[in-house]
Amino acid sequence: MMDVEKQIMDFTVLTLFPELVSSFFEHGMIQRGIEAKLITGGCINIRDFSCDRHKTVDDRPYGGGSGMVMKPEPLEAAIAFAKKKTPGAKVILMTPQGTRFDQKKACDLAARKENLIFICGRYEGIDERVYNQHVDEEISIGDYVMTGGELAAMAIIDSVSRMIPGVLGSCASFQSDSFIDDRLEYAQYTRPEIFNNLKVPGVLLSGNHEKIKQWRQTSSLQRTFIKRPDLFKTQVPTTEEKQILRQWCRELTTLVNS
Ligand code: ADE
């Protein structure tokens, strides 16, 4: 049986601008994850699979209209090459028409550890026949249109990789992330203790782990309430959270009435 914990997750990016993506694999936590053999990542230049003299990768849309469409032949050949390299990989098309990416999706992809091939569209998109025959899933990183899918693919690879145990170094780090359980992360402080006349909250210097935990939970709830109250709709407050919010409400009432 395959040891799931030891399985390396591979990210392959099909792009017309490999330089844009390759440096991403050579820096920070992603580079560390690759060095630690927890993930692998690489780019394939779709243009390398164009067979004509001019290395053409795009053409005018049938039916007319502005812009160009990515030709099917080079893209299909690039997908076939990537699939041969990483058999069984899932093919994801980066497009604003896809399902919206979020932290839950990142967790999901990291847990599955399936190898992923990202198609980064350019111009007006890819030929529909390649989409129909080779794409397993479409993902968008938000309701806005970029000039290509590269930034979107990197955003996904980054957020998925950091959830793979070991990539962030310590196993703790991502458990307190924003959006875990639909709450934002608590406020953070580091040295110096006083900065611009502002002191770090005393409880964080107390060494009392239980009190620190409580303070952080309160901070997390306050931030969520102020910045992203919509998250209380997707994940309604627990009894404990309601108690904390009521206490905060009492403190605010005392403050405004004083
Ligand atoms: N390509 C262009 N815009 C995009 C978006 N918002 N998400 C994913 N891929 C894209």
Side-chain angles (χ1 to χ4, degrees):
M1 208 178 80
M2 185 155 33
D3 185 344
V4 174
E5 281 307 310
K6 292 246 167 64
Q7 196 188 320
I8 299 174
M9 186 166 180
D10 181 78
F11 302 98
T12 303
V13 182
L14 308 189
T15 170
L16 291 170
F17 297 96
E19 294 85 4
L20 205 60
V21 183
S22 55
S23 70
F24 164 73
F25 289 122
E26 290 160 10
H27 291 90
M29 292 297 176
I30 301 301
Q31 180 194 33
R32 268 184 46 177
I34 291 171
E35 281 170 2
K37 299 198 173 6
L38 297 165
I39 54 172
T40 50
C43 304
I44 289 173
N45 189 345
I46 299 164
R47 199 176 294 280
D48 290 345
F49 296 85
S50 174
C51 291
D52 70 58
R53 214 155 42 92
H54 303 290
K55 293 275 168 205
T56 313
V57 289
D58 60 338
D59 208 340
R60 284 168 296 144
Y62 275 118
S66 62
M68 301 289 267
V69 177
M70 285 174 74
K71 283 173 71 60
E73 307 92 326
L75 185 53
E76 179 174 71
I79 295 168
F81 181 82
K83 279 193 152 176
K84 215 166 167 187
K85 218 179 72 173
T86 50
K90 185 180 213 176
V91 178
I92 298 177
L93 174 66
M94 302 318 307
T95 163
Q97 296 187 8
T99 310
R100 185 91 66 86
F101 186 70
D102 59 13
Q103 188 72 7
K104 190 175 167 299
K105 182 70 183 175
C107 281
D108 219 55
L109 290 173
R112 284 174 189 271
K113 277 199 176 170
E114 242 176 322
N115 295 330
L116 303 177
I117 296 169
F118 295 91
I119 301 175
C120 301
R122 284 265 155 182
Y123 319 119
E124 293 305 307
I126 68 169
D127 187 288
E128 189 70 3
R129 292 162 294 185
V130 176
Y131 164 68
N132 285 333
Q133 292 187 337
H134 300 291
V135 172
D136 298 314
E137 192 172 346
E138 293 176 283
I139 301 184
S140 161
I141 59 162
D143 287 348
Y144 45 86
V145 182
M146 298 184 291
T147 53
E150 286 79 5
L151 285 172
M154 287 188 273
I156 292 174
I157 296 167
D158 194 284
S159 56
V160 171
S161 296
R162 65 190 290 288
M163 304 201 88
I164 292 177
V167 170
L168 287 186
S170 88
C171 59
S173 316
F174 64 81
Q175 303 298 348
S176 61
D177 276 348
S178 287
F179 304 110
I180 296 283
D181 296 329
D182 284 308
R183 299 292 179 258
L184 300 187
E185 194 185 16
Y186 48 78
Q188 295 275 23
Y189 296 86
T190 187
R191 285 184 293 181
E193 209 176 303
I194 301 172
F195 175 72
N196 284 350
N197 246 352
L198 298 169
K199 262 194 105 212
V200 173
V203 62
L204 299 180
L205 312 172
S206 69
N208 184 329
H209 297 297
E210 192 47 41
K211 284 248 157 65
I212 292 171
K213 198 169 149 227
Q214 283 169 8
W215 183 91
R216 285 182 164 163
Q217 192 182 2
T218 304
S219 166
S220 159
L221 286 171
Q222 289 172 341
R223 286 181 143 202
T224 307
F225 186 84
I226 293 164
K227 301 181 192 190
R228 289 292 305 274
D230 57 295
L231 294 176
F232 286 120
K233 288 210 183 91
T234 37
Q235 182 70 47
V236 294
T238 61
T239 310
E240 189 193 7
E241 286 181 330
K242 278 183 188 164
Q243 259 173 9
I244 295 169
L245 288 167
R246 264 192 224 107
Q247 174 59 28
W248 183 38
C249 187
R250 278 195 290 272
E251 286 167 20
L252 287 175
T253 310
T254 311
L255 182 73
V256 295
N257 290 333
S258 63

